[in-house]
């Protein structure tokens, strides 16, 4: 079992492997976390939060993504801005909370998906994705692109399309790259039809 201990950043966001996550950091515990991660070139875990029925309490999903910091800047408002890059997916095994409120998770890294060539059936999706990512410019400038890989194309559409967080989490947890593309295609079609009207 491939386990490690990482600081956790619970968010109302889903990070995908090889994808970007721009963040503004202002809470002291996360400023300290980012500083430590940058000094040691170590990752942190991004995991989707879900509100529970208890007053104001928050719980986390069990599957998240490790993130490494690839860029940072000081905003005009004085806040620290970073761009993180998703690496491996993980399963959350255990959480301990530090005195400052930072959650530390013991995580098991999930095996990467087998590389599956895109194939003719989804080739048009790769063409569209290339145009979209070109339009997004700087957001993807630090990232390798692989328009022939089914996993990479599926993860990019899952992060770019305006989907509910639950849907994004479903696509993160799904382990079949071809099924992910098949399931994403109707959302892509709806978006194109909506823009055509």
């Amino acid at each position: 079992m491939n386990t490690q201990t990482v600081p956790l950043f619970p968010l109302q966001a889903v990070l995908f492997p090889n994808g970007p996550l721009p963040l503004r950091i202002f809470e002291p515990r996360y400023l300290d976390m980012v500083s430590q991660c940058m000094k040691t070139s170590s990752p942190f875990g991004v995991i989707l939060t879900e509100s529970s029925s208890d007053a104001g309490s928050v719980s986390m999903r069990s599957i998240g993504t490790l993130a490494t910091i690839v860029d940072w800047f000081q905003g005009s408002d004085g806040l620290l801005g970073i761009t993180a890059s998703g690496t491996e997916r993980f399963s959350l095994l255990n959480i301990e909370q530090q005195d400052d409120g930072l959650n530390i998770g013991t995580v098991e890294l999930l095996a990467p998906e087998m590389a599956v060539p895109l194939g003719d059936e989804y080739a048009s999706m790769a063409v569209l994705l290339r145009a979209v990512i070109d339009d997004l410019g700087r957001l993807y400038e630090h990232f390798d692109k692989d328009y022939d890989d089914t996993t990479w194309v599926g993860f990019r559409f899952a992060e770019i399309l305006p989907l509910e967080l639950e849907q994004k989490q479903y696509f993160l947890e799904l382990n079949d790259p071809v099924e992910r593309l098949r399931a994403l295609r109707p959302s892509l079609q709806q978006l194109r039809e909506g823009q055509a009207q």
Side-chain angles (χ1 to χ4, degrees):
M1 192 162 73
N2 189 359
T3 62
Q4 59 182 270
T5 301
V6 295
L8 298 176
F9 204 152
L11 292 169
Q12 280 287 289
V14 177
L15 175 63
F16 293 90
N18 303 305
L21 180 66
L23 292 169
R24 302 291 289 259
I25 312 295
F26 55 90
E27 289 188 51
R29 59 183 162 171
Y30 295 123
L31 287 168
D32 291 344
M33 179 196 80
V34 165
S35 174
Q36 187 63 27
C37 288
M38 289 174 72
K39 281 179 190 170
T40 59
S41 298
S42 56
F44 59 93
V46 173
I47 197 156
L48 179 64
T49 61
E50 51 186 16
S51 297
S52 74
S53 55
D54 298 335
S57 68
V58 171
S59 60
M60 293 176 233
R61 299 301 292 265
S62 60
I63 303 294
T65 305
L66 291 184
T68 56
I69 298 164
V70 294
D71 196 15
W72 67 275
F73 64 92
Q74 194 77 36
S76 57
D77 53 7
L79 296 181
L80 175 66
I82 66 169
T83 300
S85 169
T87 59
E88 300 117 309
R89 295 179 302 163
F90 65 78
S91 176
L92 182 60
L93 303 177
N94 185 46
I95 303 173
E96 293 184 5
Q97 195 170 77
Q98 295 183 163
D99 292 341
D100 63 0
L102 183 69
N103 291 300
I104 305 296
T106 302
V107 303
E108 178 185 359
L109 300 185
L110 301 179
E113 293 178 351
M114 296 289 291
V116 178
L118 197 62
D120 293 340
E121 184 178 358
Y122 299 104
S124 62
M125 290 178 74
V127 172
L128 177 61
L129 181 61
R130 188 183 297 269
V132 170
I133 285 185
D134 286 347
D135 284 346
L136 291 173
R138 286 199 60 197
L139 188 59
Y140 286 90
E141 69 182 353
H142 297 287
F143 296 86
D144 293 331
K145 300 165 185 71
D146 190 351
Y147 295 99
D148 294 322
D149 180 64
T150 303
T151 294
W152 191 87
V153 171
F155 279 153
R156 299 297 72 78
F157 273 119
E159 71 197 7
I160 291 168
L161 284 170
L163 305 170
E164 298 289 334
L165 286 174
E166 279 297 319
Q167 290 176 289
K168 288 181 181 282
Q169 183 69 23
Y170 168 77
F171 289 124
L172 178 68
E173 295 180 11
L174 192 62
N175 288 317
D176 183 334
V178 176
E179 177 57 32
R180 186 181 297 114
L181 277 188
R182 187 178 295 121
L184 279 162
R185 199 152 48 178
S187 297
L188 187 57
Q189 189 62 33
Q190 286 175 359
L191 187 66
R192 291 168 105 174
E193 288 170 358
Q195 290 175 337
Q197 291 175 359

